[in-house]
């Protein structure tokens, strides 16, 4: 079956060239000591991609505007087709370097702040703003120090979530944050499911087990044992798709996993949701997990899957392996995150633990833009006019 991919167009091309260059610094040069030189090389890579046919839109001042989803999709496709070397020589080696250099240190200190855009709201409006916190069961030790805005009148910490009640003022932005000191828990220490049916639900957010997905799971695994079934599902998800950013406004709300199989593309969240859906369709409890990497130069947000296997408990499967292994072609890296992960900031474990509504409106169509800072990263949610709704700043020290 021919895969339909996703649609691109001028409506999505709204991110200025300077910000796009910053994104490519993170993707291909985040480990470099000389960020000035890295920015120059990232700009040259963006120029090459534009000459190779990457579309742009011009604003009223003649500045080139890009779609971040389209940029990464183009660079990966061009790299795999041999037209450009940024994917093979910069993006993939940088990611491998992060993975290889993550030492299993027992204690990690992270700073995590969230800045909300309140410029369109009237003054003295009451808001309940939310940001992620670590899930306590994932850590041997956990200390959380909060940093609240002067406008805060109430603070509530719960597992996986900080909620702050504020009154808006004349400032266009408001921020809250935490300093986290934590020691990750071993994966095999996670408790077994007390309610298996909770992790077998046929419909949960992006996990929708349609007739098409149920039939696919049957074809891939049949009546094989869970260990063989998850291997079949892993191979299918690794082999049949391209890992790239997604325009979520194009994903079917009624059948998101059908959309993945028909489009031939996924990001970390949709790949994991597909894997979870296939597992659940064959009676294997599975769940979607989210948080942030603990890579010093790139502590970005991420999703992966966990399946319950009687011989190993909650077992992780992370399709970042697709990126690490050149689309599954490098056998040394293909299974790097099959049945294991590295140390991470875990803030969501669905369906029970999640941040939920963040307290301000999120546009129906948006970009997630990740850019390098001197320390850590900025992760912004931008509307299609380039205005940010919120910005997370994450660093490890």
């Amino acid at each position: 079956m021919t895969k339909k991919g996703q649609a691109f167009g001028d409506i999505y091309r709204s991110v200025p060239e300077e910000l796009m260059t910053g994104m490519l610094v993170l993707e291909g040069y985040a480990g470099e000591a000389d960020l000035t030189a890295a920015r120059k090389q990232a700009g040259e890579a963006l120029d090459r991609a534009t000459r190779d046919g990457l579309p742009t839109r011009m604003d009223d001042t003649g500045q080139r505007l890009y779609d971040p989803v389209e940029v990464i999709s183009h660079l990966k496709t061009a790299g795999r087709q041999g037209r450009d070397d940024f994917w093979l020589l910069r993006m993939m080696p940088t990611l491998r370097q992060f993975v290889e250099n993550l030492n299993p240190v027992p204690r990690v200190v992270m700073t995590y702040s969230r800045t909300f855009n309140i410029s369109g709201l009237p003054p003295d409006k009451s808001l309940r703003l939310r940001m992620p916190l670590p899930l306590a069961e994932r850590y041997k030790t956990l200390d959380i120090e909060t940093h609240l805005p002067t406008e805060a009148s109430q603070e509530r910490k719960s597992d996986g979530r900080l909620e702050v009640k504020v009154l808006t003022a004349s400032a266009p932005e408001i921020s809250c944050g935490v300093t986290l000191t934590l020691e990750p828990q071993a994966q095999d220490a996670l408790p077994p499911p007390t309610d298996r049916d909770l992790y077998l639900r046929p419909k949960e957010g992006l996990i929708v087990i349609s007739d098409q997905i149920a039939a696919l799971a049957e074809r891939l695994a049949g009546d094989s044992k869970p260990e063989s079934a998850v291997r079949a599902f892993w191979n299918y998800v690794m082999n049949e798709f391209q890992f790239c950013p997604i325009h979520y406004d194009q994903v079917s709300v009624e059948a998101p996993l059908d959309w993945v199989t028909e489009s031939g593309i996924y990001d970390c969240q949709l790949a994991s949701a597909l894997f979870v859906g296939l597992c659940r369709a064959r009676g294997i409890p599975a769940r979607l997990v989210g948080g942030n990497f603990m890579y010093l130069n790139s502590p970005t947000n991420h999703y992966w899957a966990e399946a319950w296997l009687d011989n190993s408990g909650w077992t992780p499967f992370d399709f970042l392996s697709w990126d690490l292994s050149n689309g599954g072609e490098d056998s040394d890296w293909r299974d790097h995150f099959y049945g294991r992960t590295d140390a991470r900031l875990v803030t969501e474990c669905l369906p029970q633990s999640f941040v939920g509504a963040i307290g301000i409106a999120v546009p129906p169509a948006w970009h997630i833009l990740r850019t390098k800072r001197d320390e850590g990263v900025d992760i912004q949610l931008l509307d299609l006019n380039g205005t940010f709704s919120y910005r997370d700043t994450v660093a490890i020290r």
Side-chain angles (χ1 to χ4, degrees):
M1 180 177 68
T2 301
K3 305 294 186 181
K4 64 183 182 182
Q6 61 185 324
F8 299 110
D10 277 351
I11 188 173
Y12 296 111
R13 297 172 190 135
S14 58
V15 177
E17 186 169 354
E18 180 181 2
L19 278 178
M20 285 308 315
T21 300
M23 184 186 78
L24 294 189
V25 169
L26 180 65
E27 293 283 350
Y29 304 91
E32 301 294 324
D34 187 347
L35 289 181
T36 300
R39 189 168 187 86
K40 180 176 182 295
Q41 293 177 59
E44 292 169 351
L46 188 59
D47 284 339
R48 285 198 309 273
T50 305
R51 292 194 300 271
D52 184 52
L54 172 65
T56 66
R57 179 171 68 87
M58 295 291 183
D59 68 9
D60 293 340
T61 68
Q63 178 180 212
R64 293 188 298 198
L65 303 175
Y66 291 87
D67 170 4
V69 172
E70 192 172 30
V71 170
I72 298 300
S73 300
H74 178 96
L75 288 170
K76 287 189 176 183
T77 300
R80 303 193 78 209
Q81 292 177 352
R83 302 196 325 266
D84 186 89
D85 61 10
F86 188 78
W87 157 245
L88 292 173
L89 298 185
R90 296 307 319 180
M91 291 175 67
M92 190 166 56
T94 295
L95 183 57
R96 289 179 177 181
Q97 184 183 56
F98 294 156
V99 172
E100 291 175 326
N101 291 347
L102 182 63
N103 296 319
V105 293
R107 180 175 174 273
V108 175
V109 178
M110 301 182 70
T111 57
Y112 194 135
S113 66
R114 174 164 286 182
T115 300
F116 301 85
N117 184 348
I118 59 169
S119 59
L121 299 177
D124 298 326
K125 179 179 176 61
S126 179
L127 298 175
R128 290 188 180 273
L129 304 176
R130 289 177 176 173
M131 65 170 289
L133 288 181
L135 299 178
E137 73 172 5
R138 299 281 173 154
Y139 302 94
K140 291 181 182 178
T141 60
L142 173 64
D143 179 71
I144 302 171
E145 178 187 354
T146 57
H147 310 289
L148 304 181
T150 57
E151 298 88 349
S153 61
Q154 184 179 333
E155 165 197 355
R156 182 182 171 210
K157 285 188 289 189
S158 56
D159 207 27
R161 178 190 302 164
L162 172 65
E163 185 174 276
V164 180
K165 185 176 180 181
V166 302
L167 281 177
T168 60
S170 58
E173 302 175 359
I174 194 167
S175 299
C176 55
V178 293
T179 298
L180 307 170
T181 305
L182 48 86
E183 181 181 357
Q185 183 75 277
Q187 182 76 26
D188 58 12
L190 295 177
T194 55
D195 181 0
R196 289 175 66 94
D197 290 343
L198 186 67
Y199 304 105
L200 292 171
R201 288 178 176 175
K203 189 171 183 179
E204 176 195 307
L206 292 171
I207 304 162
V208 179
I209 304 175
S210 65
D211 291 344
Q212 180 176 317
I213 296 302
L216 175 61
E218 167 70 22
R219 177 171 64 82
L220 292 172
D223 295 326
S224 58
K225 293 181 179 180
E227 289 77 8
S228 298
V230 296
R231 169 55 76 177
F233 299 152
W234 172 271
N235 287 339
Y236 170 75
V237 178
M238 286 289 291
N239 292 342
E240 299 297 324
F241 303 88
Q242 176 161 302
F243 195 114
C244 62
I246 300 294
H247 287 306
Y248 270 85
D249 58 304
Q250 298 181 24
V251 177
S252 167
V253 175
E254 294 77 19
L257 303 187
D258 292 13
W259 184 90
V260 174
T261 61
E262 292 163 6
S263 68
I265 55 175
Y266 53 48
D267 63 359
C268 60
Q269 184 173 210
L270 284 170
S272 301
L274 176 58
F275 181 84
V276 169
L278 292 171
C279 287
R280 291 186 181 184
R282 303 310 300 158
I284 303 169
R287 60 195 186 186
L288 190 64
V289 184
N292 287 66
F293 293 116
M294 287 187 178
Y295 305 143
L296 179 63
N297 290 301
S298 186
T300 51
N301 54 317
H302 188 56
Y303 283 93
W304 60 100
E306 290 178 348
W308 177 263
L309 301 174
D310 289 338
N311 63 350
S312 57
W314 283 115
T315 307
F317 299 88
D318 185 352
F319 293 94
L320 184 69
S321 295
W322 192 100
D323 269 340
L324 290 166
S325 65
N326 190 18
E329 294 179 6
D330 188 334
S331 59
D332 290 339
W333 285 93
R334 178 182 170 93
D335 284 351
H336 188 81
F337 286 129
Y338 180 91
R340 64 174 179 171
T341 56
D342 45 23
R344 294 178 181 179
L345 178 70
V346 183
T347 59
E348 294 190 303
C349 184
L350 288 99
Q352 291 185 306
S353 301
F354 55 92
V355 177
I358 65 171
I360 60 171
V362 174
W366 38 263
H367 294 306
I368 293 289
L369 188 70
R370 303 174 181 89
T371 53
K372 185 78 178 74
R373 296 172 59 90
D374 290 339
E375 292 185 356
V377 295
D378 279 339
I379 307 164
Q380 299 187 81
L381 188 144
L382 307 173
D383 67 19
L384 297 189
N385 293 319
T387 303
F388 87 97
S389 294
Y390 69 88
R391 177 176 64 251
D392 288 345
T393 300
V394 189
I396 299 173
R397 47 175 223 252

